[in-house]
Amino acid sequence: MSDPAPILDELRAMAVFATVVRSGSFAAAARSLGLTRAVVSHHIRALEVKLGVPLAQRSTRSFSLTPAGEAFRVHCERLLDEANDGIRGMELLRAEPRGEVRITCSHHFGSKRILPGLLEFRRRYPAIRLHVSMNDANVDLVQQGIELAVRAGPLADSSLVARRLVREPTMLCASPAYLRRYRTPTSVAELEQHRWVVYPPSQRGMTVRVDGQEVQVPVRGDVVTDSAASRLAFVLAGEGIARLPAYDAASLLGSGELVRVLPDVETAALEIYLVHSQRIGPSARLLRDFLLAGQHDEEGNKSALFT
């Protein structure tokens, strides 16, 4: 392998020559480079010896390029520009976060609440790749190689770090068609006689608060689903009553497609957490902090969503 030292010396001398040309004098170039005038002159003389031609005509008061110097100047300035561009490019790479993140969330809640935040994250950090899994199952994060998960609490796995993302109000709702058919309940006691859209499948009852007192309500119905989107569709179709989160119910109550049942009855809020293992990469930490700090509506605008 050849010794790289000579070419490195020549590249340094070429950069000095380009700086002399742009500065207009040896003294100005010396000040720009933080060198003495003698060192600058040494580099130019070394180039002239290497090339076998004079590059500049100089005196104590004047400086001008020879024809050879004029031709060589183009190469030296290009070298200096390429070096500066390379350094600036690497500074931009360092300033712009890069990498990839794998995140999972339920399809329904993810589409309603998480996706707008992910779209905004991509606009802000385009060099970070996102792998988004919309899955209602609680997958094993480590086994599946997933760094972040959005899950409803409380969480059973104490080895995971959980940060609350949103506390979503819920309410009892039914369609106008259902209530016309089965009559609107006027008390908690009457709820036991009604049909329910059961979600999740393991649900057998729910706790509600009436005048500050907790009351257990049995939940039975002919429709049982493990999908929040299906739950909403069945309720809209008149199949029964269900406890719905505000992000599902609000606009439909306003349009009259749903009716709130027993508005004075309090139902438990839906606690949604951002979950990850004890150690995650820098890109995942950036997304975690972005989602925890950001508030996004369905158009990606700032709102008071995650509070």
Side-chain angles (χ1 to χ4, degrees):
M1 183 179 293
S2 61
D3 184 359
I7 188 62
L8 292 177
D9 290 339
E10 291 159 10
L11 291 172
R12 185 180 299 110
M14 290 173 69
V16 170
F17 179 62
T19 305
V20 169
V21 173
R22 290 181 172 178
S23 301
S25 70
F26 280 59
R31 288 193 297 272
S32 174
L33 295 169
L35 302 173
T36 66
R37 190 179 187 281
V39 170
V40 170
S41 296
H42 168 75
H43 282 299
I44 304 306
R45 283 196 300 270
L47 271 180
E48 292 175 328
V49 170
K50 174 68 176 180
L51 298 172
V53 292
L55 298 175
Q57 296 173 343
R58 49 199 179 273
S59 66
T60 55
R61 294 190 176 182
S62 64
F63 166 82
S64 62
L65 295 178
T66 65
E70 188 66 41
F72 193 59
R73 168 190 69 83
V74 176
H75 301 287
C76 295
E77 289 188 323
R78 184 183 302 135
L79 172 71
L80 189 61
D81 289 338
E82 289 288 342
N84 286 329
D85 288 344
I87 291 172
R88 283 195 297 269
M90 293 307 297
E91 289 173 345
L92 288 174
L93 286 176
R94 187 174 68 242
E96 181 180 23
R98 308 183 74 84
E100 65 178 39
V101 186
R102 295 181 180 273
I103 182 170
T104 183
C105 55
S106 69
H107 187 277
H108 192 62
F109 179 81
S111 299
K112 292 279 189 175
R113 288 293 195 253
I114 302 301
L115 187 57
L118 295 180
L119 292 172
E120 186 176 338
F121 182 82
R122 277 288 301 156
R123 286 191 289 270
R124 189 172 301 184
Y125 303 107
I128 294 181
R129 299 178 63 201
L130 292 180
H131 297 260
V132 183
S133 173
M134 297 288 194
N135 192 329
D136 288 345
N138 282 340
V139 299
D140 186 302
L141 301 190
V142 176
Q143 186 177 9
Q144 298 294 325
I146 294 173
E147 293 176 284
L148 296 175
V150 180
R151 291 181 175 173
L155 304 176
D157 190 346
S158 60
S159 68
L160 297 175
V161 177
R163 301 279 297 277
R164 193 171 77 182
L165 188 62
V166 58
R167 189 174 188 271
E168 188 79 19
T170 67
M171 59 199 73
L172 301 179
C173 296
S175 72
Y178 172 85
L179 296 176
R180 284 194 299 269
R181 183 178 180 186
Y182 295 101
R183 300 181 60 181
T184 302
T186 58
S187 68
V188 172
E190 292 181 16
L191 289 175
E192 187 173 350
Q193 309 304 319
H194 278 265
R195 298 168 181 265
W196 291 80
V197 176
V198 181
Y199 170 89
S202 60
Q203 186 180 38
R204 296 293 179 267
M206 72 171 63
T207 302
V208 301
R209 292 181 66 87
V210 184
D211 298 328
Q213 300 295 317
E214 291 189 351
V215 180
Q216 295 296 319
V217 177
V219 172
R220 305 182 186 89
D222 294 331
V223 176
V224 180
T225 179
D226 63 357
S227 163
S230 296
R231 172 187 59 186
L232 179 59
F234 280 118
V235 173
L236 286 169
E239 292 290 341
I241 299 172
R243 180 175 70 103
L244 297 180
Y247 61 79
D248 271 342
S251 63
L252 296 170
L253 291 172
S255 67
E257 295 173 81
L258 287 179
V259 176
R260 185 169 183 179
V261 175
L262 299 175
D264 294 333
V265 171
E266 298 177 38
T267 53
L270 185 62
E271 304 275 355
I272 302 294
Y273 290 85
L274 196 56
V275 181
H276 56 83
S277 60
Q278 297 288 338
R279 299 184 65 180
I280 56 174
S283 297
R285 286 198 300 273
L286 187 64
L287 178 56
R288 176 200 64 189
D289 295 344
F290 180 86
L291 290 175
L292 289 171
Q295 293 85 40
H296 315 88
D297 63 19
E298 293 185 5
E299 284 72 43
N301 301 315
K302 289 290 183 180
S303 69
L305 177 63
F306 293 140
T307 55

